Short mmCIF file of all heavy atoms in Angstrom, two decimals:
data_model
loop_
_atom_site.label_atom_id
_atom_site.label_comp_id
_atom_site.label_asym_id
_atom_site.label_seq_id
_atom_site.Cartn_x
_atom_site.Cartn_y
_atom_site.Cartn_z
N ILE B 1 3.81 1.46 7.02
CA ILE B 1 2.71 0.58 6.60
C ILE B 1 1.68 1.48 5.94
O ILE B 1 1.10 2.36 6.58
CB ILE B 1 2.08 -0.15 7.80
CG1 ILE B 1 3.10 -1.11 8.43
CG2 ILE B 1 0.84 -0.94 7.35
CD1 ILE B 1 2.60 -1.80 9.70
N PHE B 2 1.50 1.31 4.64
CA PHE B 2 0.52 2.12 3.92
C PHE B 2 -0.89 1.62 4.23
O PHE B 2 -1.14 0.42 4.28
CB PHE B 2 0.76 2.06 2.41
CG PHE B 2 1.95 2.87 1.96
CD1 PHE B 2 3.11 2.26 1.54
CD2 PHE B 2 1.89 4.26 1.94
CE1 PHE B 2 4.20 3.00 1.11
CE2 PHE B 2 2.97 5.02 1.52
CZ PHE B 2 4.13 4.38 1.11
N THR B 3 -1.80 2.56 4.44
CA THR B 3 -3.21 2.23 4.65
C THR B 3 -4.01 3.08 3.67
O THR B 3 -3.96 4.31 3.73
CB THR B 3 -3.65 2.53 6.09
OG1 THR B 3 -3.41 3.91 6.39
CG2 THR B 3 -2.88 1.67 7.08
N THR B 4 -4.73 2.46 2.77
CA THR B 4 -5.40 3.20 1.70
C THR B 4 -6.65 2.48 1.24
O THR B 4 -6.80 1.27 1.46
CB THR B 4 -4.43 3.40 0.52
OG1 THR B 4 -5.10 4.07 -0.55
CG2 THR B 4 -3.91 2.07 0.01
N ALA B 5 -7.52 3.22 0.60
CA ALA B 5 -8.76 2.64 0.06
C ALA B 5 -8.55 2.11 -1.35
O ALA B 5 -9.46 1.51 -1.93
CB ALA B 5 -9.86 3.70 0.07
N TYR B 6 -7.37 2.32 -1.93
CA TYR B 6 -7.13 1.95 -3.33
C TYR B 6 -5.94 1.01 -3.43
O TYR B 6 -4.98 1.13 -2.68
CB TYR B 6 -6.87 3.20 -4.17
CG TYR B 6 -7.92 4.28 -4.00
CD1 TYR B 6 -7.69 5.35 -3.15
CD2 TYR B 6 -9.13 4.19 -4.67
CE1 TYR B 6 -8.66 6.34 -2.98
CE2 TYR B 6 -10.11 5.16 -4.50
CZ TYR B 6 -9.87 6.24 -3.65
OH TYR B 6 -10.83 7.19 -3.47
N ASP B 7 -5.99 0.10 -4.40
CA ASP B 7 -4.87 -0.83 -4.57
C ASP B 7 -3.94 -0.42 -5.71
O ASP B 7 -2.98 -1.12 -6.02
CB ASP B 7 -5.39 -2.25 -4.82
CG ASP B 7 -6.26 -2.36 -6.08
OD1 ASP B 7 -6.39 -1.34 -6.81
OD2 ASP B 7 -6.80 -3.45 -6.34
N ALA B 8 -4.16 0.76 -6.30
CA ALA B 8 -3.40 1.17 -7.49
C ALA B 8 -1.92 1.39 -7.20
O ALA B 8 -1.10 1.30 -8.10
CB ALA B 8 -4.01 2.45 -8.08
N HIS B 9 -1.58 1.71 -5.95
CA HIS B 9 -0.18 2.03 -5.62
C HIS B 9 0.58 0.87 -4.98
O HIS B 9 1.69 1.06 -4.50
CB HIS B 9 -0.14 3.23 -4.67
CG HIS B 9 -0.77 4.47 -5.21
ND1 HIS B 9 -0.18 5.23 -6.20
CD2 HIS B 9 -1.94 5.08 -4.90
CE1 HIS B 9 -0.96 6.26 -6.49
NE2 HIS B 9 -2.03 6.19 -5.71
N ALA B 10 -0.03 -0.31 -4.96
CA ALA B 10 0.57 -1.41 -4.21
C ALA B 10 1.96 -1.79 -4.71
O ALA B 10 2.89 -1.96 -3.93
CB ALA B 10 -0.35 -2.63 -4.26
N ILE B 11 2.13 -1.90 -6.02
CA ILE B 11 3.43 -2.30 -6.57
C ILE B 11 4.48 -1.28 -6.20
O ILE B 11 5.59 -1.61 -5.76
CB ILE B 11 3.35 -2.48 -8.10
CG1 ILE B 11 2.43 -3.67 -8.43
CG2 ILE B 11 4.74 -2.69 -8.69
CD1 ILE B 11 2.24 -3.89 -9.91
N ARG B 12 4.16 0.00 -6.36
CA ARG B 12 5.11 1.06 -6.04
C ARG B 12 5.48 1.02 -4.56
O ARG B 12 6.64 1.21 -4.19
CB ARG B 12 4.50 2.41 -6.39
CG ARG B 12 5.44 3.58 -6.21
CD ARG B 12 4.77 4.87 -6.63
NE ARG B 12 5.64 6.01 -6.43
CZ ARG B 12 5.25 7.27 -6.53
NH1 ARG B 12 4.00 7.54 -6.85
NH2 ARG B 12 6.08 8.25 -6.32
N ALA B 13 4.51 0.76 -3.70
CA ALA B 13 4.77 0.71 -2.26
C ALA B 13 5.77 -0.39 -1.91
O ALA B 13 6.67 -0.19 -1.11
CB ALA B 13 3.47 0.49 -1.49
N PHE B 14 5.61 -1.56 -2.52
CA PHE B 14 6.54 -2.65 -2.21
C PHE B 14 7.90 -2.44 -2.87
O PHE B 14 8.91 -2.91 -2.37
CB PHE B 14 5.93 -3.99 -2.63
CG PHE B 14 4.85 -4.46 -1.70
CD1 PHE B 14 3.54 -4.57 -2.12
CD2 PHE B 14 5.14 -4.76 -0.38
CE1 PHE B 14 2.54 -4.98 -1.26
CE2 PHE B 14 4.14 -5.18 0.51
CZ PHE B 14 2.84 -5.28 0.06
N GLU B 15 7.94 -1.71 -3.99
CA GLU B 15 9.22 -1.39 -4.61
C GLU B 15 10.10 -0.55 -3.68
O GLU B 15 11.32 -0.62 -3.73
CB GLU B 15 9.00 -0.64 -5.93
CG GLU B 15 8.60 -1.54 -7.08
CD GLU B 15 8.42 -0.76 -8.37
OE1 GLU B 15 8.31 0.48 -8.30
OE2 GLU B 15 8.39 -1.38 -9.43
N ILE B 16 9.47 0.28 -2.85
CA ILE B 16 10.26 1.13 -1.94
C ILE B 16 10.48 0.46 -0.58
O ILE B 16 10.91 1.09 0.37
CB ILE B 16 9.60 2.50 -1.74
CG1 ILE B 16 8.27 2.36 -0.99
CG2 ILE B 16 9.40 3.21 -3.05
CD1 ILE B 16 7.68 3.67 -0.55
N ASN B 17 10.14 -0.83 -0.50
CA ASN B 17 10.38 -1.60 0.72
C ASN B 17 9.50 -1.19 1.90
O ASN B 17 9.94 -1.22 3.05
CB ASN B 17 11.86 -1.54 1.14
CG ASN B 17 12.77 -2.20 0.13
OD1 ASN B 17 12.40 -3.22 -0.46
ND2 ASN B 17 13.93 -1.63 -0.10
N ALA B 18 8.27 -0.76 1.62
CA ALA B 18 7.33 -0.55 2.70
C ALA B 18 7.06 -1.89 3.39
O ALA B 18 7.14 -2.95 2.76
CB ALA B 18 6.02 0.03 2.16
N LEU B 19 6.75 -1.84 4.68
CA LEU B 19 6.49 -3.09 5.40
C LEU B 19 5.27 -3.81 4.87
O LEU B 19 5.25 -5.04 4.75
CB LEU B 19 6.31 -2.81 6.90
CG LEU B 19 7.54 -2.35 7.67
CD1 LEU B 19 7.17 -2.06 9.11
CD2 LEU B 19 8.64 -3.41 7.61
N ASP B 20 4.23 -3.04 4.53
CA ASP B 20 3.00 -3.66 4.04
C ASP B 20 2.11 -2.60 3.42
O ASP B 20 2.37 -1.39 3.54
CB ASP B 20 2.25 -4.39 5.17
CG ASP B 20 1.51 -5.63 4.66
OD1 ASP B 20 1.09 -5.63 3.49
OD2 ASP B 20 1.37 -6.59 5.44
N TYR B 21 1.05 -3.07 2.77
CA TYR B 21 0.11 -2.20 2.06
C TYR B 21 -1.28 -2.72 2.41
O TYR B 21 -1.70 -3.77 1.91
CB TYR B 21 0.38 -2.31 0.56
CG TYR B 21 -0.38 -1.35 -0.32
CD1 TYR B 21 0.19 -0.15 -0.72
CD2 TYR B 21 -1.65 -1.66 -0.78
CE1 TYR B 21 -0.49 0.73 -1.55
CE2 TYR B 21 -2.34 -0.80 -1.61
CZ TYR B 21 -1.76 0.39 -2.00
OH TYR B 21 -2.43 1.26 -2.82
N LEU B 22 -1.96 -2.02 3.31
CA LEU B 22 -3.24 -2.49 3.83
C LEU B 22 -4.39 -1.70 3.22
O LEU B 22 -4.37 -0.47 3.19
CB LEU B 22 -3.28 -2.35 5.35
CG LEU B 22 -2.13 -2.99 6.14
CD1 LEU B 22 -2.34 -2.81 7.63
CD2 LEU B 22 -1.97 -4.46 5.77
N LEU B 23 -5.39 -2.43 2.73
CA LEU B 23 -6.58 -1.79 2.20
C LEU B 23 -7.58 -1.54 3.32
O LEU B 23 -7.76 -2.38 4.21
CB LEU B 23 -7.21 -2.67 1.11
CG LEU B 23 -6.40 -2.82 -0.19
CD1 LEU B 23 -7.11 -3.78 -1.13
CD2 LEU B 23 -6.19 -1.47 -0.86
N LYS B 24 -8.22 -0.38 3.29
CA LYS B 24 -9.26 -0.05 4.27
C LYS B 24 -10.56 -0.78 3.91
O LYS B 24 -10.86 -0.98 2.74
CB LYS B 24 -9.52 1.46 4.28
CG LYS B 24 -8.31 2.32 4.58
CD LYS B 24 -8.67 3.79 4.40
CE LYS B 24 -7.47 4.70 4.56
NZ LYS B 24 -7.80 6.11 4.29
N PRO B 25 -11.33 -1.17 4.92
CA PRO B 25 -11.01 -1.09 6.35
C PRO B 25 -9.98 -2.13 6.76
O PRO B 25 -10.03 -3.27 6.30
CB PRO B 25 -12.36 -1.35 7.02
CG PRO B 25 -13.10 -2.22 6.04
CD PRO B 25 -12.68 -1.75 4.68
N VAL B 26 -9.03 -1.72 7.60
CA VAL B 26 -7.94 -2.60 8.02
C VAL B 26 -8.47 -3.65 8.99
O VAL B 26 -9.17 -3.33 9.95
CB VAL B 26 -6.81 -1.79 8.69
CG1 VAL B 26 -5.72 -2.70 9.22
CG2 VAL B 26 -6.24 -0.78 7.70
#
């Protein structure tokens, strides 16, 4: 589960089948 302050990598994260992409604060 990616946790980040930026949304720039969201598409790439889901392409690799990450469970989710959460923006901080979670």
